[in-house]
Amino acid sequence: MTLAIMGAMPEEIAPILKKLGTYKTTNYAGNKYYEATYKGMNLVLAYSKIGKVFSTLTAATLCEHFGAEKLLFSGVAGAISPKLKVGDLIVATQLTQHDLDITAFGHPFGYVPEGSVFVDADKEMIALSKIVAQEMGKPLQEGIIATGDQFVANEERKSWIGETFGADALEMEGGSVAVVCDALNVPFFILRAISDAADMDASFSFDEFLETSAVESAEFVMKMVDKLAKK
């Protein structure tokens, strides 16, 4: 099986590359892809760079060019739900694009014709994540993750996204990755560690907690990979 692991920033996949130790680097479509063999599986890793356009390109490349049969995303997010604190882990049950707006034509926020407001993540991998969380002794929350091409550091915008989409966390890549994988019938799993509260202190919190939160998410994703290797 070929398994893709994706992040948006170098910090989000660096802990995984460190664990793998040896890997092949391939330059393709303006990005670097890292290939390795791990417990009988072919792994291909990449960080997309920030935002929906780059994450769409990277996810599509991982699936179409490198032949990924499943895709796992490891990264950080801002909290909307008051139940989420810095360092907490959340797995996406559904993803949406909070900045997609054609409401002028009578459609709801996040909707595009012939599409849908929400895309469901893979239920089998979500179930597997609960087992991993239990074995690791880590609390794991499930919820809706909203994606947009903006770093939200505004309480009013944060509240609007939460109320409009019922979202628990927000970030800048998951929704576009979800659209790609759904269109290509590639099961996907998106895990985020909370790095900030998406409020006026978000930029400070993000810088302070990015590395530790990314390590939390990466460690969990590799436990998921270990489980998938046994299947």
Side-chain angles (χ1 to χ4, degrees):
M1 178 168 68
T2 298
L3 188 68
I5 303 175
M6 183 176 164
M9 296 174 287
E11 293 88 347
E12 292 172 330
I13 67 163
I16 299 173
L17 291 175
K18 184 177 180 180
K19 182 179 176 66
L20 293 175
T22 302
Y23 47 84
K24 171 189 171 185
T25 302
T26 299
N27 291 288
Y28 183 82
N31 204 359
K32 289 185 173 65
Y33 294 83
Y34 306 96
E35 298 173 84
T37 301
Y38 181 79
K39 296 189 176 181
M41 294 188 301
N42 296 318
L43 298 187
V44 55
L45 295 83
Y47 66 89
S48 60
K49 298 182 283 288
I50 292 168
K52 293 195 295 181
V53 172
F54 284 117
S55 59
T56 296
L57 173 61
T58 302
T61 299
L62 287 167
C63 296
E64 291 289 273
H65 183 76
F66 290 95
E69 297 165 72
K70 294 181 188 291
L71 187 150
L72 291 84
F73 193 108
S74 173
V76 298
I80 296 177
S81 170
K83 295 179 181 178
L84 288 167
K85 308 301 179 188
V86 170
D88 286 352
L89 295 172
I90 179 170
V91 56
T93 53
Q94 294 182 306
L95 296 107
T96 186
Q97 299 178 69
H98 67 75
D99 60 349
L100 204 169
D101 180 1
I102 54 168
T103 54
F105 298 98
H107 297 296
F109 287 103
Y111 177 80
V112 65
E114 299 182 36
S116 60
V117 175
F118 299 98
V119 179
D120 294 336
D122 183 68
K123 290 179 174 58
E124 287 188 13
M125 284 195 280
I126 292 173
L128 190 63
S129 73
K130 295 177 183 178
I131 296 171
V132 170
Q134 187 175 22
E135 290 179 355
M136 294 179 70
K138 287 185 177 292
L140 177 68
Q141 299 190 45
E142 297 178 47
I144 295 171
I145 293 181
T147 298
D149 274 327
Q150 53 191 226
F151 184 88
V152 176
N154 178 281
E155 190 68 42
E156 184 179 351
R157 178 67 182 173
K158 166 187 166 179
S159 297
W160 180 86
I161 294 169
E163 292 164 6
T164 304
F165 299 98
D168 298 285
L170 52 83
E171 33 86 309
M172 300 178 68
E173 298 84 25
S176 45
V177 172
V179 169
V180 169
C181 290
D182 183 63
L184 297 175
N185 295 313
V186 174
F188 69 94
F189 172 84
I190 294 184
L191 179 79
R192 294 285 189 168
I194 299 301
S195 60
D196 61 86
D199 55 18
M200 62 185 298
D201 296 321
S203 58
F204 171 77
S205 300
F206 182 82
D207 287 339
E208 184 178 358
F209 295 108
L210 168 61
E211 191 168 341
T212 54
S213 295
V215 168
E216 285 281 326
S217 181
E219 180 187 8
F220 193 98
V221 161
M222 283 309 294
K223 294 289 186 184
M224 290 280 294
V225 172
D226 289 340
K227 291 286 186 188
L228 290 168
K230 294 177 181 177
K231 289 199 165 196

